[in-house]
């Protein structure tokens, strides 16, 4: 049972249909390099904590939100994170501290994106603690692999091709912003 839910959590991130979550991870980690691995680990864990809190609250029917609005807000969180990255002048530990709060807060929204599906899966389980733990550890593992891939790409582009850190951040953040803008427009919960 644990490994089944671990796989579901892993697949929630490492999946060709998980573009919104991968774009968010990309935007969140765009400002980091390999030497920042401890900060990135905290960042990814903050996102998972936010995601977990909403999954627990939604699973127990303590909170409910319109999936239409949540699906719209997910790309909005990506756009805000990417925009924040482009406005940063320096990438010091003090200047990136806000990213932890963005990861935690936006993790709450992203958690709602999968809450309905997970709630229906967990509905047949008598004990949901182990499945939730498995799902969230799978999610965390998937995010860490995605971030590792981005850090490797950053090292290659910045080390081999001599792309400046600022240009790398602008490139990743700009790409994430534009892709998220398209998603948000496709998911508008209201008519223009």
């Amino acid at each position: 049972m644990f490994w089944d839910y671990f796989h579901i959590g892993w697949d929630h991130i490492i999946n060709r249909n998980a573009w919104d979550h991968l774009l968010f991870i990309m935007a969140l980690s765009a400002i980091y390099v390999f030497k920042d691995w401890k900060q990135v680990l905290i960042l990814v864990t903050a996102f998972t904590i936010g995601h977990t809190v909403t999954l627990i609250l939604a699973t127990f029917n303590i909170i409910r939100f319109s999936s239409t609005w949540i699906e719209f807000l997910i790309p909005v969180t990506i756009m805000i994170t990417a925009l924040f990255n482009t406005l940063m002048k320096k990438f010091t530990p003090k200047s990136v501290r806000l990213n932890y709060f963005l990861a935690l807060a936006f993790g709450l929204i992203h958690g709602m994106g999968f809450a309905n599906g997970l709630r229906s899966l967990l509905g047949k389980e008598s004990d949901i603690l182990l499945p939730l733990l498995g799902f969230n550890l799978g999610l965390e593992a998937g995010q860490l692999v995605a971030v590792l891939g981005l850090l490797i790409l950053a090292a290659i582009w910045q080390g081999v091709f001599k792309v400046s850190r600022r240009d790398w951040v602008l490139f990743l953040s700009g790409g994430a912003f534009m892709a998220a803008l398209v998603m948000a427009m496709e998911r508008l919960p209201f008519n223009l």
Side-chain angles (χ1 to χ4, degrees):
M1 173 174 42
F2 173 87
W3 291 110
D4 293 335
Y5 285 95
F6 182 93
H7 180 73
I8 293 169
W10 169 270
D11 199 49
H12 186 59
I13 295 294
I14 307 295
N15 180 316
R16 68 180 125 144
N17 296 321
W19 286 110
D20 50 358
H21 294 289
L22 289 172
L23 282 173
F24 185 68
I25 295 298
M26 183 172 90
L28 264 182
S29 59
I31 61 175
Y32 296 98
V33 292
F34 259 112
K35 70 179 175 120
D36 302 326
W37 69 269
K38 288 180 186 176
Q39 292 172 322
V40 177
L41 183 61
I42 294 168
L43 183 78
V44 169
T45 302
F47 178 71
T48 301
I49 290 169
H51 204 276
T52 302
V53 167
T54 6
L55 281 174
I56 290 169
L57 294 174
T59 300
F60 287 111
N61 290 316
I62 296 171
I63 59 170
R64 282 193 181 253
F65 289 98
S66 162
S67 61
T68 304
W69 275 97
I70 295 301
E71 290 304 315
F72 168 72
L73 289 174
I74 287 173
V76 170
T77 65
I78 299 165
M79 291 170 17
I80 292 169
T81 304
L83 186 60
F84 174 72
N85 291 347
T86 63
L87 297 176
M88 291 180 73
K89 301 290 183 222
K90 294 181 180 178
F91 306 107
T92 63
K94 186 177 180 181
S95 68
V96 299
R97 201 166 289 146
L98 180 60
N99 254 20
Y100 302 131
F101 299 107
L102 288 176
L104 180 64
F106 292 163
L108 295 169
I109 294 170
H110 285 248
M112 289 302 299
F114 194 69
N116 289 337
L118 189 61
R119 184 178 22 242
S120 66
L121 285 173
L122 290 173
K124 57 188 171 198
E125 302 290 345
S126 57
D127 177 25
I128 65 165
L129 185 60
L130 199 57
L132 273 174
L133 180 65
F135 176 83
N136 286 301
L137 289 177
L139 180 79
E140 183 83 354
Q143 290 175 156
L144 290 174
V145 167
V147 168
L148 178 63
L150 284 170
L151 291 177
I152 290 170
L153 282 175
I156 291 169
W157 281 97
Q158 292 173 35
V160 176
F161 298 110
K162 304 298 183 211
V163 173
S164 75
R165 186 172 182 182
R166 180 82 183 135
D167 288 344
W168 175 253
V169 170
L170 290 174
F171 172 74
L172 277 187
S173 298
F177 183 91
M178 293 309 295
L181 178 61
V182 170
M183 270 186 218
M185 297 303 290
E186 291 173 347
R187 300 175 179 182
L188 282 175
F190 47 83
N191 294 327
L192 288 179

